[in-house]
Amino acid sequence: MSTWANLGLQDSASPLMEQLIFFHDHALLILVMITMLVGYLMFMLFFNTFVNRFLLHGQLIEMIWTILPAIILLFIALPSLRLLYLLDEINEPSVTLKSIGHQWYWSYEYSDFNNIEFDSYMIPTNELATDGFRLLDVDNRVILPMNSQIRILVSAADVIHSWTIPALGVKVDGTPGRLNQTNFFINRPGLFYGQCSEICGANHSFMPIVIESVPVNYFIKWISNNMNS
Ligand code: CUA
């Protein structure tokens, strides 16, 4: 979860988010190199006193400074495309979770397990525990097993919402009348916080997501307890 003055990306909790961070750093490095080169050239122009009065064309330099940026862009485009298709890859998920956006809360369904379903509301500030996180904690968390492939099906009941968890690299729109799919793999236990990220109305800021990542045997215990009740 993000805390004070953390302006960068959160630590990853899934292989996909790790790849996204690598790509971000890679793209930023290229950006810095271009900015430095162009900045240097523009700055040095101030001090230039030489003018070539007979310069009308320069085929070679035009070729170079057209093709070179195109090649540099390829170094961003190809890894970006690789990641894009990697994010869409489904690797035989062992759990499927359905999350439905409502104004203004999320509801969840574990369709594999006797269709366990529940709503997940934000805890209002005046009801918050002293160690709770304001505008981030919910009454019913999503419990998911770590080290397993998880498929998420996202939809919405009223307007467009977006199921977004930065640490897992997941951001899927929930659209009424549609079912969107994504998947992830949580590689450590813990709490992972997320928020809706489609402007969905007055309480858009108040429908957070909390994922509780637990070892698989804990998850089985939790799921079987809830199936019997
Ligand atoms: Cu739901 Cu914004």
Side-chain angles (χ1 to χ4, degrees):
M1 153 195 176
S2 238
T3 47
W4 305 126
N6 183 5
L7 301 178
L9 293 162
Q10 294 176 32
D11 286 347
S12 75
S14 81
L16 286 178
M17 190 59 217
E18 188 179 37
Q19 290 298 313
L20 284 163
I21 291 171
F22 287 154
F23 177 68
H24 167 268
D25 294 350
H26 169 76
L28 206 66
L29 206 72
I30 294 174
L31 214 80
V32 166
M33 290 193 299
I34 294 170
T35 309
M36 280 190 354
L37 178 70
V38 175
Y40 172 78
L41 293 175
M42 286 174 73
F43 184 73
M44 281 311 175
L45 272 178
F46 287 118
F47 307 103
N48 182 37
T49 49
F50 298 115
V51 176
N52 186 344
R53 290 190 294 142
F54 304 106
L55 182 72
L56 290 173
H57 63 114
Q59 299 292 325
L60 185 67
I61 192 65
E62 296 256 4
M63 287 282 280
I64 292 171
W65 70 37
T66 305
I67 293 170
L68 204 69
I71 293 171
I72 293 170
L73 286 183
L74 279 181
F75 279 92
I76 301 175
L78 296 179
S80 169
L81 234 44
R82 188 193 78 113
L83 232 173
L84 187 69
Y85 285 108
L86 220 50
L87 290 171
D88 249 11
E89 197 79 42
I90 305 288
N91 311 299
E92 296 183 47
S94 41
V95 180
T96 300
L97 172 74
K98 214 187 278 180
S99 34
I100 300 117
H102 303 259
Q103 278 177 317
W104 287 275
Y105 63 97
W106 292 96
S107 69
Y108 297 100
E109 292 176 20
Y110 289 77
S111 320
D112 302 336
F113 306 95
N114 215 4
N115 212 31
I116 294 170
E117 49 184 313
F118 57 87
D119 296 340
S120 180
Y121 282 89
M122 185 194 81
I123 298 176
T125 306
N126 56 314
E127 293 169 26
L128 202 65
T130 38
D131 59 348
F133 294 115
R134 194 175 75 94
L135 306 183
L136 231 41
D137 265 319
V138 295
D139 54 358
N140 293 306
R141 292 168 176 166
V142 181
I143 316 283
L144 286 174
M146 61 185 245
N147 293 333
S148 333
Q149 283 292 338
I150 295 153
R151 167 167 49 201
I152 307 288
L153 300 173
V154 188
S155 189
D158 34 54
V159 297
I160 305 177
H161 300 272
S162 180
W163 203 77
T164 307
I165 294 135
L168 300 177
V170 175
K171 185 168 191 278
V172 194
D173 273 17
T175 310
R178 282 191 184 219
L179 201 58
N180 284 329
Q181 177 181 251
T182 190
N183 76 114
F184 56 76
F185 179 98
I186 313 174
N187 53 21
R188 59 187 163 94
L191 291 176
F192 302 110
Y193 290 87
Q195 286 177 301
C196 175
S197 54
E198 280 284 2
I199 309 298
C200 57
N203 291 328
H204 158 67
S205 321
F206 312 118
M207 48 181 299
I209 302 145
V210 183
I211 290 188
E212 187 174 334
S213 169
V214 295
V216 180
N217 52 323
Y218 283 35
F219 174 76
I220 292 170
K221 237 179 228 176
W222 176 80
I223 213 95
S224 51
N225 280 338
N226 282 278
M227 274 167 74
N228 298 331
S229 60

